[in-house]
Amino acid sequence: MMNKQNGWRIAAAVLAGLAGGRGPLPDWQQLRAALGIPLRTEESAPKPAPGSTAVYVLDVGQGDAVLICQNGAYCLIDTGPAEAEDALLYDLHALDVESLDYLVLTHPHADHTGNARAVLSDFPVKQLLLPLWEPGADDTADWPRRLAECAAENGTELIAAESGDRYPLGGGTLMILQGGSGDAASVNDISLCTMFTAGDFRFLDTGDAEEAAEQRLLDTYGPALHAVLYKAGHHGSYTSNSAAFLQAVKPAAVAVSCGLDNDYGHPHRAALENFAAVGAEVYRTDQEGSLTFLWQNNTLSVETTADACAPAA
């Protein structure tokens, strides 16, 4: 099997050599900036056939941006940090996204909402889904400035999504499992938690929801949380991805969206051990760049930036 990190190491070594061999190996975002284009041209990424589903976990450094495509309909969950704007917009255009049925912002932290206004301005977006949230006196988080005005100016309907809401996407359905909560212990715990289903495919995204929010999900849904693909909660933090929660989800694959050598230590060892305990295959944007998960003929296949950049075997 091809080593998934070969392409990154080859490209990084070339750039390091050009720089005289000084300093650490650059991450994917730095490589993109240095070369002027994404290393994995999204034009070559697998595209879903009619009736199949693609989930693109885009490399936005230390943040989240996940694109769901089903029968030509698109939903973007989170938009990454502001410094990833060029890469995010490039990837969306290269993946032939012309409009978004939904833009979901899971919670008001900048690594999830940094490019929300850029996306709203660059693409027609039918509906913007936000969790119910009223900031408390001690909350420092906030939505991007003029977000509501930007949505209105671009003809996007703004919706405060609630638990149990269902939104059609192609031949599938995006369900809000859990929305904002007035008694949440942290802003992370008001994260919109979503389950996308199409046929036998199930994709779970919990934003940055931590263990208390995961327990509420467990209490409400139990084994119905099972998913084929799970985006690791809170970038693979130990405050999320609890053993009990993972035992209910039992994903075949886990996507961890985080930055190379990030200051938070994501993904944490405890989370990785919990993923391993349920037999999940783990893929990481910090090591493998953008991740493409393709579900067709009841089979999940995966391609990474590192795969696409690696030399032919």
Side-chain angles (χ1 to χ4, degrees):
M1 180 178 292
M2 185 185 300
N3 185 330
K4 297 172 184 173
Q5 298 186 44
N6 278 348
W8 169 67
R9 296 191 180 282
I10 291 169
V14 169
L15 287 182
L18 292 175
R22 297 183 299 275
L25 291 180
D27 62 20
W28 285 107
Q29 289 292 317
Q30 292 167 329
L31 286 171
R32 286 183 170 202
L35 296 178
I37 58 171
L39 287 180
R40 184 257 248 155
T41 58
E42 261 62 19
E43 290 93 335
S44 66
K47 302 296 194 301
S52 61
T53 302
V55 176
Y56 304 96
V57 180
L58 301 175
D59 176 24
V60 290
Q62 183 63 24
D64 271 11
V66 178
L67 180 70
I68 304 172
C69 174
Q70 218 293 323
N71 266 5
Y74 293 93
C75 170
L76 180 65
I77 302 178
D78 289 329
T79 65
E83 57 267 26
E85 178 181 335
D86 289 346
L88 174 66
L89 295 180
Y90 181 100
D91 285 351
L92 293 176
H93 284 292
L95 286 167
D96 299 326
V97 176
E98 296 182 356
S99 64
L100 293 168
D101 289 74
Y102 310 105
L103 171 59
V104 179
L105 298 181
T106 58
H107 65 292
H109 278 160
D111 57 331
H112 293 253
T113 67
N115 301 302
R117 288 187 301 161
V119 170
L120 288 167
S121 298
D122 218 51
F123 297 90
V125 178
K126 293 179 182 178
Q127 295 181 323
L128 169 61
L129 308 184
L130 305 177
L132 293 167
W133 178 65
E134 290 293 335
D138 297 330
D139 287 328
T140 57
D142 205 352
W143 297 114
R145 189 172 60 88
R146 296 190 69 254
L147 178 64
E149 292 91 332
C150 184
E153 289 167 2
N154 290 283
T156 299
E157 181 184 6
L158 194 154
I159 296 176
E162 299 185 56
S163 302
D165 288 352
R166 296 173 181 268
Y167 299 91
L169 184 70
T173 302
L174 183 75
M175 180 178 176
I176 307 299
L177 299 182
Q178 188 166 271
S181 173
D183 59 355
S186 69
V187 173
N188 285 339
D189 278 348
I190 63 102
S191 291
L192 280 181
C193 300
T194 58
M195 178 77 79
F196 175 75
T197 59
D200 291 332
F201 178 71
R202 298 167 64 84
F203 166 57
L204 177 63
D205 188 317
T206 59
D208 278 358
E210 299 184 336
E211 192 165 353
E214 291 180 348
Q215 187 59 53
R216 288 196 295 272
L217 287 169
L218 271 174
D219 293 342
T220 303
Y221 300 99
L225 288 169
H226 170 64
V228 176
L229 173 63
Y230 168 57
K231 186 209 64 76
H234 199 185
H235 318 287
S237 171
Y238 68 89
T239 60
S240 306
N241 311 292
S242 67
F245 185 71
L246 267 295
Q247 286 295 331
V249 178
K250 286 187 170 61
V254 173
V256 182
S257 183
C258 62
L260 183 67
D261 296 329
N262 62 83
D263 295 336
Y264 307 97
H266 297 153
H268 289 138
R269 178 181 298 175
L272 293 173
E273 289 175 349
N274 289 342
F275 301 150
V278 296
E281 190 77 21
V282 178
Y283 300 87
R284 300 168 47 169
T285 61
D286 62 330
Q287 294 182 345
E288 300 162 288
S290 292
L291 311 170
T292 298
F293 297 89
L294 189 62
W295 177 262
Q296 53 189 9
N297 300 321
N298 284 339
T299 301
L300 185 70
S301 62
V302 186
E303 182 176 302
T304 73
T305 299
D307 287 333
C309 292

